[in-house]
Amino acid sequence: MAMFHKILIANRGEIAVRIIRACKELGIRSVAVYSEADRDSMHTRLADESVCIGPAPSAQSYLNIAALMAAAELTDAEAIHPGFGFLAENAEFADIVLESGLVWIGPTPASMRTMGDKVTAKKEMEIAGVPLVPGSEGAVETIEEAKAVVKTSGFPIIIKASAGGGGRGMKIVHSEASLSNAFSMCKTEAGAAFGDDTVFIEKFLEEPRHIEVQVLGDTHGNIVHLFERECSMQRNNQKVLEEAPSPYLDPETREKICAAGLAAAKAVNYVGAGTIEFLMNSDKSFYFMEMNTRIQVEHPVTEWITGVDLIEWQIRVAAGDKLDFCQDNIKIKGHAIECRINAEHPFKFTPSPGTVELYHAPGGRSVRVDSQLYTGYKIPPHYDSMIGKVITHARDRQKCIRRMQRAMDELVILGVTTNQELHQRLLANPGFQSADFNIHFLEKWLHQMSL
Ligand code: ADP
């Protein structure tokens, strides 16, 4: 099948830059869209063509479907890559793209819908034999039902909105006394925030690790997994540092969790790149949490250990190409770590937009930098604070940490405050170095240090 001539990238920042780079390497023309606040941003400059789609607020630009479709029509783009965030998991947008005769670089709207609704997703996963966090069977309608669920699961529990996302619409309950109140509050809030008050209950796992499996499928029925990533370094349910492979898994557990991820993807006939997120207990039991039906921020660590270019394959699969490798061809080579660089205070996490007076990216052997930064760039205050990612690779984890430490020491960003020092301290932390952590590690450590 013929490759696209031109792709529109419905995103900004480092992921737009990443996709433009992939387009260039494939010989495809790229169209950047930008808000008035992003006129001088890197993605606007790097693309072959750029179209302004509205004022700074995302609702009027990067989330403005009419403006995006007009830009695609104006530039005669054949396909749209949504990146992550913004409209990447919006099935209605995917529908509109397809109805307009364009190609959606992503999974089918049907699999996006199934996985986007947590109750539906869990039902599908149960049928596929993927382990679920113990809890309610589907939606919980009344407080009596909630009490009945807790009788078997015990406390603590987590009440979740079926339509929730981005860490919103969840409530942890530790005792019977607060159950009724939390249940009705969660239901009311879910209705107000997501227009759907369906909630369900899960056992709250106290000290799990976050381990996720990367999958990739084509339109010819081939689906493979590309092993796992460990993303337990989090703050406020936001990932800070990711690595692949997970330092916690033995070969047997790796095989099991990757097989579960693959089964999940196969259950929805998944096409494109996707991620199945699991929580893993200290006894190495693991449970399906959710599937992200898009490319993820941390995809480079997987690219590095497997040698598979995920963005290139997203595009090729959307163009109808067959995967030219099979499961047995994919092997883990070495270790990779990614540090997310945010324009924010390293310990207080207050955003720090402004002008970058000097930018110097680290280099040298096995260091990759995906970023929209340049000296003189004015970071707008309107969007996510992530301004780039530094990724390192080495033969083993210890060497990879050392390489990341020297990369972090080389990185210079002047003019705005960044979380560089947080990474420097974290990389030197014995708990991190010995891989003895869970999803609460970072917050507990910050608390102990009174940082
Ligand atoms: P969202 O779609 O909002 O990201 P998730 O279901 O992925 O919601 O959960 C977000 C985060 O909440 C997880 O990364 C984990 O830290 C925590 N979490 C979710 N479910 C549980 C659970 N059953 N036990 C413990 N922590 C949980």
Side-chain angles (χ1 to χ4, degrees):
M1 185 159 166
M3 187 38 80
F4 306 117
H5 298 292
K6 200 188 272 187
I7 292 176
L8 180 137
I9 296 121
N11 215 299
R12 64 179 300 282
E14 68 85 19
I15 191 61
V17 169
R18 168 73 184 91
I19 299 162
I20 293 166
R21 285 175 171 156
C23 287
K24 284 183 194 278
E25 290 176 13
L26 286 165
I28 300 168
R29 286 182 65 81
S30 52
V31 180
V33 293
Y34 63 94
S35 72
E36 282 164 13
D38 274 340
R39 207 170 280 282
D40 295 320
S41 73
M42 181 74 97
H43 76 288
T44 310
R45 293 177 173 197
L46 273 189
D48 295 306
E49 292 169 57
S50 319
V51 182
C52 183
I53 47 163
S58 329
Q60 293 170 59
S61 49
Y62 298 105
L63 294 172
N64 182 342
I65 294 179
L68 288 163
M69 296 313 295
E73 168 135 19
L74 186 77
T75 54
D76 202 22
E78 293 166 87
I80 295 189
H81 195 309
F84 50 65
F86 296 122
L87 295 167
E89 289 180 281
N90 186 313
E92 272 104 273
F93 180 48
D95 275 336
I96 292 168
V97 169
L98 294 169
E99 281 159 17
S100 312
L102 303 185
V103 177
W104 170 251
I105 303 180
T108 62
S111 26
M112 291 168 75
R113 284 200 169 89
T114 303
M115 288 304 191
D117 182 80
K118 293 181 191 218
V119 167
T120 315
K122 285 188 85 165
K123 274 200 186 117
E124 285 291 331
M125 293 304 101
E126 189 169 22
I127 297 166
V130 179
L132 303 178
V133 186
S136 60
E137 244 173 70
V140 177
E141 311 278 353
T142 64
I143 181 67
E144 285 72 33
E145 272 182 63
K147 282 181 181 161
V149 172
V150 175
K151 265 219 170 72
T152 38
S153 73
F155 286 103
I157 54 145
I158 182 164
I159 309 174
K160 291 187 179 182
S162 187
R168 295 185 313 142
M170 298 185 292
K171 273 208 169 26
I172 301 160
V173 185
H174 290 276
S175 68
E176 181 90 35
S178 45
L179 181 61
S180 298
N181 213 354
F183 180 77
S184 50
M185 254 170 78
C186 196
K187 218 168 158 53
T188 311
E189 283 173 17
F194 313 112
D196 174 0
D197 73 351
T198 310
V199 300
F200 62 101
I201 292 176
E202 278 179 2
K203 174 90 186 151
F204 181 71
L205 308 177
E206 308 254 21
E207 294 186 324
R209 298 174 79 114
H210 174 122
I211 298 177
E212 58 187 34
V213 175
Q214 175 73 53
V215 294
L216 180 65
D218 66 20
T219 52
H220 306 273
N222 305 300
I223 308 184
V224 297
H225 72 76
L226 294 123
F227 297 102
E228 82 284 358
R229 294 184 285 262
E230 164 96 47
C231 310
S232 298
M233 281 306 149
Q234 301 184 1
R235 196 195 141 265
N236 265 351
N237 293 327
Q238 302 259 19
K239 297 163 189 166
V240 172
L241 176 153
E242 305 94 342
E243 54 187 311
S246 164
Y248 193 56
L249 298 192
D250 52 78
E252 195 188 329
T253 315
R254 171 164 300 119
E255 205 174 304
K256 274 193 203 153
I257 199 169
C258 291
L262 198 55
K266 284 185 173 163
V268 291
N269 299 316
Y270 198 77
V271 171
T275 299
I276 297 94
E277 299 189 330
F278 295 95
L279 290 176
M280 183 174 283
N281 273 327
S282 53
D283 65 357
K284 297 209 163 91
S285 57
F286 58 85
Y287 306 101
F288 170 84
M289 189 163 45
E290 66 166 348
M291 179 169 191
N292 292 138
T293 53
R294 54 169 165 81
I295 195 73
Q296 282 189 291
V297 175
E298 58 271 25
H299 75 274
V301 291
T302 298
E303 296 191 319
W304 221 329
I305 62 155
T306 60
V308 174
D309 183 328
L310 284 167
I311 306 279
E312 176 184 324
W313 274 105
Q314 279 192 300
I315 296 170
R316 288 182 61 175
V317 156
D321 270 8
K322 254 189 197 164
L323 296 184
D324 68 359
F325 50 86
C326 61
Q327 192 66 62
D328 287 347
N329 302 138
I330 308 163
K331 301 267 184 270
I332 298 177
K333 195 162 170 261
H335 196 91
I337 297 178
E338 171 182 279
C339 289
R340 297 188 185 201
I341 309 300
N342 296 337
E344 67 187 14
H345 189 280
F347 309 113
K348 296 192 191 101
F349 305 99
T350 42
S352 169
T355 302
V356 177
E357 306 292 351
L358 181 72
Y359 171 59
H360 173 78
R365 186 170 156 79
S366 297
V367 176
R368 166 176 168 181
V369 181
D370 279 21
S371 173
Q372 71 264 41
L373 289 190
Y374 59 85
T375 296
Y377 173 56
K378 217 168 147 186
I379 301 168
H382 313 278
Y383 313 106
D384 193 88
S385 64
M386 195 177 76
I387 48 174
K389 306 172 317 206
V390 177
I391 308 104
T392 58
H393 180 256
R395 207 170 50 224
D396 57 45
R397 186 170 187 266
Q398 198 188 351
K399 266 190 171 331
C400 194
I401 294 173
R402 293 284 284 273
R403 185 159 278 152
M404 184 59 90
Q405 285 179 309
R406 77 110 175 120
M408 277 298 140
D409 290 346
E410 279 178 40
L411 174 70
V412 181
I413 302 170
L414 299 183
V416 296
T417 309
T418 75
N419 63 346
Q420 186 175 0
E421 192 189 335
L422 173 71
H423 285 301
Q424 285 168 321
R425 293 227 206 169
L426 183 57
L427 291 161
N429 180 299
F432 171 73
Q433 292 194 349
S434 62
D436 179 19
F437 47 70
N438 59 56
I439 57 171
H440 306 298
F441 176 89
L442 183 58
E443 284 179 358
K444 272 198 185 143
W445 171 62
L446 289 168
H447 187 73
Q448 277 163 9
M449 308 257 293
S450 308
L451 288 170

